[in-house]
Amino acid sequence: MSTDATTTSATRAQRLDRLPFTREHGRLVVGSGLGWALDAMDVGLISFVMAALAVQWSLTPTELSWIGSIGFVGMALGATLGGLLADRIGRRQVFALTLLVFGVATGAAALAWSVASLLVFRFLIGLGLGAELPVASTLVSEYAPARVRGRVVVALEAFWAVGWLLAALIGYLVVPGSDDGWRWALALGAVPALYAVVVRRGLPESVRFLELRGRTDEAEAAVRRFESAAGVAPVPSAPARPTPAPRPGALWAAGSRRRTAALWAVWFGINFAYYGAFIWLPTLLVASGFSLVRSFGFTLLITLAQLPGYAAAALLIERWGRRPTLVVFLLGSAAGAGLFALADGDTAVLVTGMVLSFFNLGAWGAVYAVTPEVYPTALRATGAGAAAGFGRLASIAAPLCVPPLLTAGGNGLVFGTFAAFFVVAALAACLLPERRGESLEAPVH
């Protein structure tokens, strides 16, 4: 046994914060991240499906917009409800349930026989997906040691790029292959329904949640599981007092109002710009004269730039801090969108698209790292879910706004608008608290 553990009493949260990163942390990140990647694969696939259906079903821009947006209606509702449920019945249970809901609905979407049926299935998919993401980041943040918490959550978010890359590969290789290619692509999204069983059995419940519900024996067992992986002897823990979950209105109480407003503004801006751009990207490239296959190939290369974006954010978030990293990557995203608006020629489109992808996904990693740190444990999942839910309103609006913006000013106006939303999000990020290296139980200033 290691002698790193102290012999004095410590809370279970402090015991977790003192641990090194262990194989149990790795299992938690990978277990949560695989579900995250499968979710991203589904969201990414719809952009390729839209481009295919525009040709096969002769859809209007309005119909395409609703196919792109309806899933985010479900995500807005799912994020809000998922956060509330996670603070009441637990992070792990909600995480597994949401994967099951969206996995089954994705498989059903492959059988869609009309625009209306596809819209129904896309809504159900969004309902499950919206609840899963903020709950997963909350669970991981509550186990990660304080000194590397931001980096661990960014690593979790990086699985999104893996999933989107899988979507780009499937879109490139499967969707153009036949008239039913888009159906086969969506059918692959049914995998999360089976994976949900693994998640439910393998992931630990949040220690902080268990303590708030008075389930101290389960909380102690979970902490000892991680201590054993680190070779650290357990120490006595101070008794935890059960605490009821606060009402959602606490997000707007005097001590939380400013942080909530700033966080919601960041989520709204980043959602509007990201989903407006990437949901429509293959379709816009086709409209600009690219073939369907070439459009998908460009989208695949642009997607690859997400991976180094996450890596850079993971490196900087513990060196610079959450707030500076988020602001820099949001401003970089604005620059990328502005350059894409001015791009002329294949090379310029590819390079500026990769710049946008690099900074935008780095910003996503930072926003998921900072969000769980804004609220205390009893309100954490509710606050994260509410911010994500509000942001999803922007992801609903953005795909619907693209056709009129395109008509009014072409790609230049479309991506110029996205750049403006990134700037607004960066300004709001300046008002968020900086929690680098702090315990999640420390007071938020």
Side-chain angles (χ1 to χ4, degrees), residues 138-422:
T138 297
L139 178 61
V140 170
S141 71
E142 289 180 332
Y143 269 101
R147 64 188 175 280
V148 294
R149 185 173 59 242
R151 188 167 295 166
V152 170
V153 176
V154 174
L156 168 68
E157 229 287 296
F159 279 86
W160 182 272
V162 175
W164 201 282
L165 182 60
L166 287 173
L169 286 170
I170 293 170
Y172 181 69
L173 299 173
V174 177
V175 175
S178 68
D179 287 346
D180 288 330
W182 66 271
R183 295 185 185 276
W184 286 110
L186 289 178
L188 293 173
V191 173
L194 300 175
Y195 180 70
V197 178
V198 179
V199 171
R200 179 63 179 85
R201 292 175 179 270
L203 295 186
E205 181 55 90
S206 164
V207 169
R208 291 165 169 89
F209 169 81
L210 292 172
E211 287 189 327
L212 291 179
R213 293 295 172 270
R215 294 157 60 181
T216 54
D217 289 344
E218 294 175 67
E220 180 64 24
V223 174
R224 293 194 178 203
R225 170 177 166 181
F226 278 73
E227 287 176 331
S228 175
V232 172
V235 297
S237 280
R241 184 171 56 186
T243 304
R247 295 180 180 275
L251 296 174
W252 295 97
S256 303
R257 190 177 303 133
R258 175 178 166 177
R259 298 195 302 273
T260 296
L263 188 63
W264 284 26
V266 172
W267 273 89
F268 193 91
I270 197 172
N271 270 275
F272 189 95
Y274 174 76
Y275 286 107
F278 285 93
I279 288 293
W280 272 93
L281 185 58
T283 304
L284 291 176
L285 291 176
V286 170
S288 299
F290 288 75
S291 69
L292 190 65
V293 173
R294 195 151 181 261
S295 162
F296 288 0
F298 266 50
T299 303
L300 174 58
L301 292 174
I302 290 171
T303 301
L304 283 171
Q306 296 181 8
L307 294 172
Y310 280 123
L315 177 66
L316 296 173
I317 203 160
E318 299 295 357
R319 293 188 178 183
W320 290 357
R322 281 76 161 126
R323 188 168 54 207
T325 302
L326 179 56
V327 170
V328 167
F329 275 83
L330 285 170
L331 292 177
S333 301
L339 291 171
F340 192 89
L342 302 173
D344 184 18
D346 293 0
T347 302
V349 167
L350 181 60
V351 172
T352 57
M354 294 179 76
V355 170
L356 172 60
S357 186
F358 174 90
F359 281 104
N360 196 181
L361 276 296
W364 270 114
V367 80
Y368 269 106
V370 74
T371 297
E373 299 178 344
V374 171
Y375 300 105
T377 297
L379 197 60
R380 185 167 296 124
T382 297
F390 184 75
R392 298 307 176 192
L393 298 178
S395 61
I396 297 166
L400 296 173
C401 290
V402 169
L405 288 172
L406 200 60
T407 301
N411 285 347
L413 180 59
V414 170
F415 282 88
T417 301
F418 297 152
F421 272 89
F422 279 129

